[in-house]
Structures are given as structure tokens and as C-alpha cells.
């Protein structure tokens, strides 16, 4: 089934990671289009502020659903809470993301490493699974998974983050095939460098200066690109557009990682005690 775009007015959407960055901007953009929202993240004060700002726009006040998605089981519970709050969910945006910078021999499968996968992989899968029965019953809905260009640029010390995003990207493509022939659309959002707290490469211990890159884009521009993708029936939104290169030409992504990786102080990072 070929998916058509949707009119966002009146649609019910749950957004994880809505307290800051891309999620916050997307909440504002969807509210401007007349969608009714449920906002999820850990920082309830920021979600409350955002809900106030949105209700000041003359649209229904979003439901505020504080949650720590690093806790196993919390995403499925969030799905139930979102259904209770909204009655139904037309769009789920799995946007919350956790980063971890560290050398694998030191971090291994520690609780911090597992939490990255809990937030970035297991929670999106669990939240989607909790909301899919209602979407199946309605034979409509959009599942939006936010991955990253690092799925194709495996920089040193970012292995946990990039592996989790690559896992979510593959799961997203598989889910799309599983739902072929239904009215449910699966949209992968692939941000490139975006000016938020989670800009991954900022966390790396560079030997001197980081490799020169184009400036990060504003999260509001990413939100605009996602809204356009939702409205036009897109299956993938890559923003900024030049981030398509490492995705479509994987050898380029590996080259970027090799060249950039030489500037990362891996020796210093490995100098700590090995557990
Ligand atoms: N910025 C970039 O350059 C870039 C590039 C590629 C992909 N991305 C992806 O874009 C998405 C949005 O990130 P962002 O750039 O907008 O950064 P951000 O401003 O730091 O937003 C991350 C969001 O995730 C939430 N979050 C983190 N851990 C959580 C947890 N344990 N439970 C619940 N919520 C949690 C945070 O809320 P609380 O802290 O309030 O819980 C926050 O709202 C992420 O999936 C990220 O991986 C970003």
C-alpha cells in the first residue's frame, strides 16, 4: 500500500524526548498544525512549561507524561498512559535519545551502556508495540523513529550510541516491511548534526581541534522537515540533506569515521582501569 500524507489537524500524537531539542520543537510545530499531544521525558518541569506554552496557542493543553525510559517496562507503561490521556494515538514519535561516550574495554556492558540501549532501542520498540493494536484496529497511524547519521559513521568512543542507532534504523526498516499492506506508515527520521544538548561529536575527547564540519542545523528546522515528511507521506526524512551522503554511500561514512577517528584521543580514553 502506498501511503498518502496526513492532515495533522485533530491528530493525536505522543512524543518522547519532548523536554528539549528536536522533540520540543516538533511538539510546537505539531501543535501549530492543530495536533493534540502527549509529551514524555524525565524533566517534568520542562514538559509543564512546554504544555503551558502550547495551551497559550489556543490548542488543547498537551498531556504531560513524565517517564524514565532507561527503566525496563516504562515504555510499555507510557503507551498505556498515552492511550488513557489521548483516547487513541495516531502518531508516535520515538525521539528520546541517550548518549554515552566511552571506550568499550572500560564501559563493557555496564548499567550505563545497557541504559543507552534501553532508551534508544528497547523503549521505541516497546512503545510502538503498546500502541500498535489501536493503530491496527484503525488501520492507520504513523510510527516515527528518530535514528542518526552515526548509524553509518562509526566513530571511536561513540560505539554504544552509534550501535544503538544502527539497531533502531534496522528495526525500523524491518517494521516497515512487517506492516506492508496495512494503513500504518513507518517513518525514519535521520538527523545530522543538530544544535542541541545531544550533539554527539561535542562529547568526544579531541586530541586538538575537531575535524572541520558544516555548522549544525537548528532543531526547529529539523522539526519543520519532520512535519513536512508527515504531511507528504515520506518514509524517511534526512535533515540536513547532505547527511544523505554517508547513508547512501556507506564507504564515505566509513572514510569520514576513519579520518575523524584519528583526531580522537582514544589512547587517553583507554588509559583508565579495565573492568
Ligand atoms: N543533536 C544531534 O546532532 C542529533 C543527531 C542525530 C540524531 N539525534 C537524535 O535526535 C533525538 C533528539 O535529541 P536532541 O538532539 O533533540 O537532544 P536533546 O535536546 O538532548 O533531547 C533528548 C531528549 O531525550 C530525552 N531523554 C533522554 N534520556 C531519557 C530517558 N532516560 N527517559 C526519557 N527521556 C529521555 C531528554 O529528556 P529528559 O532529559 O528530560 O529525560 C530529551 O528530551 C535523539 O534520539 C538523538 O539521538 C540528534
Amino acid at each position: 500500500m502506498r501511503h498518502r500524507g496526513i492532515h495533522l489537524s485533530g491528530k493525536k500524537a505522543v512524543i518522547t524526548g519532548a523536554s528539549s531539542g528536536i522533540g520540543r520543537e516538533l511538539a510546537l510545530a505539531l501543535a501549530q498544525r492543530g495536533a493534540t499531544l502527549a509529551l514524555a521525558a524525565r524533566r517534568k518541569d520542562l514538559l509543564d512549561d512546554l504544555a503551558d506554552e502550547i495551551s497559550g496557542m489556543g490548542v488543547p493543553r498537551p498531556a504531560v507524561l513524565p517517564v524514565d525510559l532507561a527503566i525496563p517496562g516504562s515504555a510499555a507503561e507510557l503507551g498505556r498512559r498515552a492511550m488513557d490521556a489521548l483516547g487513541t494515538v495516531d502518531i508516535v514519535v520515538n525521539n528520546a535519545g541517550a548518549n554515552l561516550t566511552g571506550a568499550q574495554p572500560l564501559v563493557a556492558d555496564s548499567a550505563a551502556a545497557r541504559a543507552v540501549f534501553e532508551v534508544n532501542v528497547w523503549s521505541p520498540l516497546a512503545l510502538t508495540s503498546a500502541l500498535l493494536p489501536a493503530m491496527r484496529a484503525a488501520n492507520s497511524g504513523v510510527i516515527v523513529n528518530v535514528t542518526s547519521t552515526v548509524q553509518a559513521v562509526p566513530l571511536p568512543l561513540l560505539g554504544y550510541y552509534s550501535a544503538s542507532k544502527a539497531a533502531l534504523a534496522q528495526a525500523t526498516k524491518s517494521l516497515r516491511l512487517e506492516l506492508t499492506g496495512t494503513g500504518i506508515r513507518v517513518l525514519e527520521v535521520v538527523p545530522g548534526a543538530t544544535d542541541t544538548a545531544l550533539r554527539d561529536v561535542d562529547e568526544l575527547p579531541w586530541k586538538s581541534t575537531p575535524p572541520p564540519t558544516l555548522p549544525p542545523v537548528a532543531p526547529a528546522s529539523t522539526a519543520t522537515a519532520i512535519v513536512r515528511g508527515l504531511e507528504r507521506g515520506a518514509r524517511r526524512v534526512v535533515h540536513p540533506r547532505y547527511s544523505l551522503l554517508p547513508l547512501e554511500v556507506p564507504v564515505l561514512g566509513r572514510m569520514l569515521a576513519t579520518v575523524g577517528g584519528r583526531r580522537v584521543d582514544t589512547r587517553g580514553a583507554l588509559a583508565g582501569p579495565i573492568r
Side-chain angles (χ1 to χ4, degrees):
M1 174 185 277
R2 185 171 164 73
H3 291 284
R4 281 174 296 186
I6 52 167
H7 294 290
L8 292 167
S9 180
K11 293 291 185 297
K12 311 255 178 106
V14 54
I15 306 173
T16 68
S19 59
S20 63
I22 296 168
R24 184 181 197 285
E25 296 299 333
L26 182 62
L28 288 166
L30 289 178
Q32 271 158 5
R33 291 286 207 281
T36 302
L37 306 176
L39 310 174
R42 288 167 300 182
R43 290 171 291 177
K44 182 177 181 302
D45 52 337
L46 296 183
L47 296 179
D48 283 333
D49 290 348
L50 178 58
D52 289 344
E53 189 175 338
I54 287 173
S55 60
M57 292 160 50
V59 291
R61 190 178 201 281
V64 168
L65 305 176
V67 64
D68 185 350
L69 293 170
I71 299 172
S74 63
E77 177 62 21
L78 174 65
R80 290 187 281 275
R81 291 162 65 201
M83 287 297 289
D84 285 348
L86 298 177
T88 187
V89 172
D90 302 297
I91 303 166
V92 53
V93 185
N94 287 300
N95 164 73
N99 190 10
L100 173 68
T101 306
Q104 291 172 42
L106 305 184
V107 180
D109 66 337
S110 60
R114 287 172 179 269
V116 171
F117 273 73
E118 197 63 50
V119 175
N120 294 0
V121 183
W122 302 125
S123 284
L125 268 56
L127 179 57
T128 299
S129 172
L131 297 173
L132 259 173
M135 290 187 179
R136 292 295 307 275
N139 198 34
S140 71
V142 190
I143 295 153
V144 183
N145 286 344
V146 180
T147 64
S148 169
T149 42
V150 299
Q151 65 180 277
V153 187
L155 283 162
L157 310 183
L158 276 183
Y160 297 97
Y161 180 68
S162 52
S164 71
K165 289 296 181 179
L168 181 61
Q170 290 298 338
T172 303
K173 292 172 183 75
S174 291
L175 179 65
R176 184 179 298 127
L177 292 175
E178 290 168 14
L179 294 175
T180 300
T182 75
I184 302 166
R185 174 161 51 116
V186 179
L187 167 59
E188 182 187 3
V189 173
V190 192
T194 313
D195 192 10
T196 69
L198 201 148
R199 202 188 155 212
D200 34 42
V201 292
D202 287 347
E203 310 238 334
L204 288 174
W206 298 104
K207 284 178 191 158
S208 54
T209 50
T213 53
L214 292 167
V217 298
S221 74
T222 308
T224 302
I226 298 171
V227 165
R228 203 183 305 125
L230 282 166
E231 290 178 333
R232 292 183 180 175
R235 290 152 44 110
R236 187 174 69 167
V237 168
V238 183
H239 185 79
R241 292 293 289 167
Y242 59 73
S243 301
L244 259 175
L245 277 172
L247 298 176
E248 296 303 318
V249 191
V251 68
L252 194 65
R254 293 195 296 275
M255 272 170 57
L256 284 171
T258 305
V259 172
R262 286 194 196 117
R263 295 199 186 203
V264 178
D265 182 14
T266 47
R267 197 169 289 186
L270 281 164
I274 296 183
R275 279 175 289 183

